[in-house]
Amino acid sequence: MTAMQNVSLGAHYVVHMPQPDDFAFWRERARALIQCDVPPDRVSWVEPGGTGDLFAHGGNARGEKRLPVPDKDAPPVRVSKRFMSLARNAGLHSDPERFGLLYRMLWRLQSSARIMEDKADPDVRRIEEWDKSVRRDSHKMHAFVRFREVEGDEGEHYVAWFEPDHHIVRTNAGFFKRRFANMKWSILTPRGCIHWDGKVMRESGPAQRSDAPSDDPTEDLWKSYYASTFNPARLKVGAMMAEMPKKYWKNMPEAELIPDLIASAQAREAGMVAAGEREERQQPKTLAEISSAITACRDCPIAECGTRAVMGEGAIGTPLMIVGEQPGDQEDVSGKPFVGPAGQLLDECLGTAGIDREAAYVTNAAKHFKYVQRGKRRIHQSPTAKEIDTCRWWLEAERAIVRPRIVLALGASAARGLLGKTVSISQARGAPIPLDDGSELWVTVHPSYLLRLDGDAREEHGALFARDLSAVRARLSELAV
Amino acid sequence: MSRQTLRQKLEILADAAKYDASCASSGTAKKNSLGGKGVGSTEGMGICHAYAPDGRCISLLKVLLTNHCIFDCHYCINRKSSNVRRARFTPQEVADLTINFYKRNYIEGLFLSSGIIKSSNHTMELLVEAARILREEYDFRGYIHLKTIPEADPGLIHQAGLYADRVSINVELPTTSGLTRLAPDKDAAQIEGALAKTKSRIIEAKDERKRFKHAPRFAPAGQSTQMIVGADDASDADIVGKASNLYGNFGLRRVYYSAFSPIPDASAVLPLKRPPLMREHRLYQSDWLMRFYGYAPGEVAQATDKHGNLPLDIDPKLAWALKFRGSFPVDVNRASKEQLLRVPGLGTTAVGRILAARRHRTLRLDDVAKLTQSIAKVRPFLVALDWRPTTLTDRADLRALLAPKQEQLELF
């Protein structure tokens, strides 16, 4: 090897890096040293501000001047692509030993070119780990930089403060340039800063947190979003901490919410479960059991109205069950279903159609009267779908005991109480809908609807109601045969 | 009612959207804002800009345009009969919010979905309008995921795909009977029809771009869907079967599984209990087995118990290996990639490393330990130069040795 004549035997070389992330500089020097056949244990690499190792002291602090110069015709140095891509990242790591180890790897690669493929080799593993942590640090920088807007003389300027673990700021300038090409921004870090004015990228020395703005009005919206998008029923703090370790929290506005969100999560989840709780209660076996249980039922807010529960009326095993919406003012007073004005109209129409009310079981989709007080009067309020669905449990229990062949639902609320979904009366009326237990559901309007109409409309809908009732009557006779 | 502030609306509509599991922003075409007027870039890899305490990544501004809805699906917090507070954004408000968040580097883009108001077409028009404002008026080049409505006009869905990086339609429940019972207004055939149509458009657009450089891109990040787990009685085998059909028939990028979690003002027909998060996790694992490990759906089903459910205490790959012990141990120095991928405890990365390293040396157990996460877990299934599990592979209590230990609670 001709280069050997430029090398003092047994000499120790020190290379002073001008920048901690200057890979190109390292590459130049390393190439020359390899060409001069200088083994790794005879070179020290010193970062700016670093003291180097044991051999780097002494009179010739400018040891770099004495670096050997390879011959012009020295053979070119070759390495695998894999090494180059790893080394570029590993060179950005904050470990002061990185350049020395990279040189040792380069040295070893000259004799065994494919050593990078041996993942069990300790040097290869260390370089891979450096590469991995630098890539992760860059990725976290892309993710966790938070810009704050400042109104400058020349329009909006976005400034961020970030604390990277490694020397990654300069290499990541391109990412932010491509992403925010038409925005003025600066990223300040303790390892140096980058500034983009829409045309030119500029660098400056290390900054302090106090150089960055302290807030931004949009952060309140962002924090609201962060809190709202969190699902308290799925608390997984470990998974969050793995990806967003605490060290990043201090520079992320949303992170200050985390302790409270975690603390309140279980209470919020338990609240949601309890609000809808229907533990595996035994379904009541007799009508008397239902009657006493609904009096105590507090599953939905209607019960808070302070009204009494109105139980259905009729015999077990009757072929027809008539279901209304909910008890009204008079039903609440008397404790019996369908005794008010609508009940009287119903009795009249049933009579005309030839149906014996006494032979039917009459009940409601909701068991309590829901109202608002206006002066002395209690004004009827329709139950919500949720309330009907909640009360459906009692209606199902009644049906299981009475076992009617035909169920007649009066109005949309009653139909929902039986089907679990809202149907349109005009589309559902006039034909039977099969229910799960084999019985038939017939749907028609509620008699109180007729009470609210007058003139021709009353005539017309009265006739339709009568027609529905006769259809039910006809079906009842068919089934009776 | 007093007018809601932007912040109140954001709270309501973000809360309403959080039950959608997807927040991915990866796998789309590369673009950046150099030479444009606005902001935004996508470089292939998705970025999670924050993590919520539920462990889920926050990558996109995930909101509904409105949570008013004419549908009445029991599992949904926004169903017609629910008592939640309602709110509504205009497309302009959504676009402005997205840009303001994006400029501060809070998000990768927008995931916009909506309750159905007036009609499917009207709703779809509003969704597309929000995407149009972002793309055309703000020249936004970040990520957009639009939820499309299967009942909407195909022309509108096409428009959505031109603006969005990804489109998705939720199949919601793994079985048709579940869908009929819990989502009475939805129609399985219609949903699958829309998935099929979107698939063919994606293929057509890719094909056109091969021939014409400037042909418009259509949903370059593909389409995805979501299934709710635990709201009906479908077994894991049903769900895995359904997922593999979906991957096969509709070219989906992802099928998301969402453990049904208690929602405020829940419908009375649903099981209100803690969400089956572990079950969801096992389903994702089996999904990975099918997509990256070469397992057929039938093979995943072989790992299930007699009710068709995957064991919760051990992962599906270990469950499969314990059932088919005849296939083990495999020789780490000779086995094919496919065989190594079936070893519990070896992931795709570890297998890649083993394949590369064994060209240079014959691997000992120590070497394997350096290349994998946990040697204790893989040891019973491997043969190395200095290691042979002998009777370990056939021990009756192997499951107990490998399953995570049950811990007895201390007296307090």
Side-chain angles (χ1 to χ4, degrees), chain A residues 14-158:
Chain A
V14 179
V15 185
H16 289 270
M17 298 292 296
Q19 296 281 347
D21 60 349
D22 197 340
F23 182 75
F25 180 89
W26 175 85
R27 192 178 175 183
E28 288 291 319
R29 295 298 179 277
R31 184 192 294 133
L33 287 165
I34 292 280
Q35 285 176 327
C36 295
D37 213 18
V38 179
D41 54 356
R42 296 202 179 278
V43 193
S44 306
W45 302 83
V46 185
E47 280 186 68
T51 50
D53 60 22
L54 201 59
F55 303 103
H57 65 88
N60 36 23
R62 307 290 303 159
E64 200 197 324
K65 273 189 189 152
R66 297 193 1 215
L67 283 191
V69 182
D71 287 343
K72 290 228 158 43
D73 56 351
V77 181
R78 294 191 181 280
V79 285
S80 63
K81 274 196 187 129
R82 172 78 183 147
F83 174 76
M84 280 310 288
S85 71
L86 282 179
R88 257 179 230 285
N89 273 334
L92 303 176
H93 199 275
S94 52
D95 193 323
E97 290 176 20
R98 63 188 180 285
F99 292 116
L101 178 60
L102 285 174
Y103 184 69
R104 185 159 84 215
M105 202 67 232
L106 187 62
W107 174 266
R108 292 179 62 198
L109 279 164
Q110 301 312 304
S111 52
S112 39
R114 303 187 64 186
I115 201 165
M116 292 308 290
E117 292 168 22
D118 184 1
K119 312 288 174 183
D121 183 278
D123 284 352
V124 173
R125 284 174 38 137
R126 187 128 180 248
I127 292 176
E128 289 202 329
E129 270 158 31
W130 282 337
D131 164 67
K132 196 172 161 191
S133 50
V134 166
R135 274 188 291 128
R136 182 177 161 94
D137 201 31
S138 296
H139 188 70
K140 294 300 176 198
M141 180 175 176
H142 299 169
F144 297 154
V145 155
R146 294 284 182 267
F147 285 113
R148 284 172 167 157
E149 189 186 347
V150 234
E151 282 297 330
D153 302 334
E154 300 150 41
E156 341 170 305
H157 183 193
Y158 291 84

Side-chain angles (χ1 to χ4, degrees), chain A residues 114-122 125 128 132 139-149 156 158 174-183 196 216-240 243-244 252-254 258 261-262 266 268-269 272-273 275-278 384-387 389-390 392 416 420-422, chain B residues 6-7 10-12 14-15 18-19 32-43 45-56 58 60-63 72 74 79-83 97 100-108 180 184 257-259 261-269 272-275 277 280-281 352-354 356-357 359-361 363 367 369-371:
Chain A
R114 303 187 64 186
I115 201 165
M116 292 308 290
E117 292 168 22
D118 184 1
K119 312 288 174 183
D121 183 278
R125 284 174 38 137
E128 289 202 329
K132 196 172 161 191
H139 188 70
K140 294 300 176 198
M141 180 175 176
H142 299 169
F144 297 154
V145 155
R146 294 284 182 267
F147 285 113
R148 284 172 167 157
E149 189 186 347
E156 341 170 305
Y158 291 84
F175 171 85
F176 290 96
K177 181 174 95 176
R178 291 190 294 279
R179 173 155 290 201
F180 303 111
N182 303 296
M183 208 169 94
W196 173 254
D216 181 309
T218 308
E219 276 174 12
D220 280 344
L221 274 177
W222 170 241
K223 282 192 256 183
S224 303
Y225 175 70
Y226 182 79
S228 310
T229 202
F230 160 58
N231 182 353
R234 303 181 51 115
L235 196 63
K236 271 192 191 168
V237 182
M240 171 188 67
E243 294 297 340
M244 197 169 80
M252 300 174 72
E254 64 274 26
I258 294 173
L261 287 177
I262 295 176
Q266 266 170 343
R268 282 169 69 191
E269 186 204 354
M272 284 189 281
V273 173
E277 189 128 47
R278 243 9 220 276
T384 64
K386 172 81 190 296
E387 289 155 356
D389 290 348
T390 308
R392 191 175 164 203
R416 184 171 179 107
K421 63 177 183 185
T422 304
Chain B
L6 185 66
R7 184 169 166 182
L10 177 64
E11 277 167 359
I12 296 171
D15 190 87
K18 71 184 170 197
Y19 301 96
N32 63 53
S33 51
L34 294 172
K37 295 182 295 163
V39 291
S41 64
T42 49
E43 306 201 338
M45 192 165 28
I47 300 175
C48 296
H49 283 271
Y51 289 81
D54 51 17
R56 295 210 276 195
I58 301 176
L60 303 172
L61 168 64
K62 185 158 53 175
V63 288
D72 201 9
H74 287 286
R79 67 189 188 284
K80 183 169 62 177
S81 58
S82 164
N83 269 333
L97 203 56
N100 276 327
F101 278 9
Y102 198 91
K103 281 184 162 177
R104 286 159 182 80
N105 203 36
Y106 298 158
I107 51 170
E108 283 294 287
T180 333
Y257 306 96
S258 172
S261 64
I263 47 175
D265 201 45
S267 160
V269 302
L272 272 178
K273 48 188 176 214
R274 304 216 54 195
L277 295 184
E280 179 193 280
H281 180 58
R353 285 185 188 155
I354 289 175
R359 288 191 205 115
H360 298 273
R361 59 176 85 194
L363 297 173
D367 298 323
K370 285 180 198 155
L371 304 174

